[in-house]
Amino acid sequence: MELKKIGVVGAGTMGNGIAQAFAVAGYEVIMTDIAEAAVQKGVATIAGSLDRLIKKEKMSAEQKAAAMAKIATATDIAALKHVDLIIEAATENLELKTKIFKQLDATAKPEAILASNTSSISITKLAAATARPAQVIGMHFFNPVPMMALVELIRGLQTADATYAAVDAVSRAIGKTPVQIKNSPGFVVNRMLCPMINEAIFALGEGLATAAEIDEAMKLGANHPIGPLALCDLIGLDVELAVMQVLFEGFKDPKYRPAPLLVEMVEAGYLGRKSGKGFFTY
């Protein structure tokens, strides 16, 4: 099955990045969000991102215009009834995603594939909420989507081979490198990355070193391009906490317990870059 028309649910950081990646590759995209303001902000973000590529001479003004022309917007999921692939990129919340998947299942044409950009929620569980579980898959992109090459393709227990093959092909067509992963809490990258960040927060909470020193140590000692605490600020402390809770509940293993300092900072509203303050001040 060839996937030509793409629907994206959610116009936030991940949603608009996914829409951009498909539009630049020549796909027709419909990007939806519940509020018109959110959709317009997403479109403006894409335009700004493409302008930066023009400045770096990685794209021409004509190519930008062609990509922008490929993106339609809507505030109603009903606009997605004729697309081939719908990628949900809403907030990381099981209840919300389940509700969206039920709506998409009722709206989308029977042969459409439903994908989730979730970073930690069970694809098997989301698939079970629909009447087309064989056509549900995880497509976990990484931030910033236009720059990051990886897509984790997560097979739920019900995902059909044909579904996987179609999504694998479309991922490669937009220049991404897909990695096949079985459904499991946190999948692969976050299962390793988030506990590392959590451990850095434990080290900070225990006063082993300052936030700047911990980050410098990991940049110089492990050749990381960004320190774990600055990375946590970029991801969002609330997102880090949510993933640690999914890992802790999913595996029932104390090694995944969230660091007390992480919990307290989220309670204080220090969520990182998006709130202006996290382990560092922005």
Side-chain angles (χ1 to χ4, degrees):
M1 179 185 175
E2 198 185 348
L3 309 173
K4 291 178 179 167
K5 281 190 167 180
I6 313 298
V8 178
V9 178
T13 306
M14 297 303 289
N16 69 56
I18 293 165
Q20 178 182 325
F22 276 96
V24 167
Y27 287 83
E28 277 182 59
V29 181
I30 302 174
M31 181 171 69
T32 71
D33 208 306
I34 46 175
E36 183 61 30
V39 173
Q40 291 313 319
K41 189 181 172 194
V43 171
T45 302
I46 295 169
S49 173
L50 298 180
D51 283 338
R52 285 192 294 278
L53 291 175
I54 293 172
K55 262 195 191 133
K56 292 177 184 168
E57 296 183 349
K58 289 183 176 176
M59 177 177 265
S60 68
E62 292 76 27
Q63 285 170 313
K64 177 199 167 180
M68 294 303 293
K70 291 278 183 191
I71 302 169
T73 62
T75 52
D76 187 350
I77 274 177
L80 305 178
K81 60 175 179 264
H82 299 305
V83 303
D84 304 313
L85 168 67
I86 303 174
I87 303 164
E88 167 276 315
T91 312
E92 196 69 352
N93 174 305
L94 176 62
E95 209 175 318
L96 174 68
K97 286 190 190 286
T98 304
K99 185 180 154 198
I100 290 170
F101 265 75
K102 283 181 173 164
Q103 288 174 331
L104 292 175
D105 186 36
T107 303
K109 62 185 183 182
E111 64 273 28
I113 290 172
L114 309 181
S116 177
N117 177 56
T118 178
S119 52
S120 60
I121 288 167
S122 167
I123 299 302
T124 299
K125 205 175 267 186
L126 290 176
T130 74
R132 61 178 88 196
Q135 290 154 250
V136 175
I137 192 167
M139 266 188 112
H140 181 215
F141 290 84
F142 290 80
N143 191 12
V145 178
M147 312 306 294
M148 301 290 271
L150 181 69
V151 184
E152 287 184 319
L153 295 188
I154 302 104
R155 296 185 77 132
L157 198 61
Q158 315 94 316
T159 308
D161 289 344
T163 300
Y164 183 86
V167 174
D168 180 271
V170 84
S171 301
R172 293 176 197 277
I174 62 166
K176 302 299 180 195
T177 303
V179 173
Q180 180 172 193
I181 294 164
K182 276 195 251 178
N183 188 60
S184 177
F187 314 130
V188 166
V189 174
N190 281 339
R191 180 169 171 179
M192 292 188 277
L193 179 67
C194 291
M196 180 199 75
I197 293 170
N198 194 48
E199 204 57 42
I201 302 167
F202 268 115
L204 179 66
E206 289 165 21
L208 298 186
T210 66
E213 287 164 340
I214 289 167
D215 274 13
E216 195 69 358
M218 287 305 285
K219 285 196 287 188
L220 301 179
N223 209 17
H224 288 193
I226 183 172
L229 299 172
L231 180 58
C232 190
D233 281 351
L234 180 64
I235 294 167
L237 276 74
D238 50 341
V239 176
E240 165 70 15
L241 178 58
V243 175
M244 290 313 299
Q245 285 166 334
V246 164
L247 290 170
F248 187 55
E249 287 158 21
F251 291 113
K252 305 286 190 285
D253 187 330
K255 75 178 179 183
Y256 296 117
R257 72 202 182 285
L261 177 59
L262 172 62
V263 176
E264 197 160 8
M265 286 184 73
V266 170
E267 285 173 348
Y270 301 153
L271 307 181
R273 288 193 187 199
K274 60 186 166 190
S275 70
K277 180 174 170 57
F279 296 107
F280 301 96
T281 304
Y282 300 91

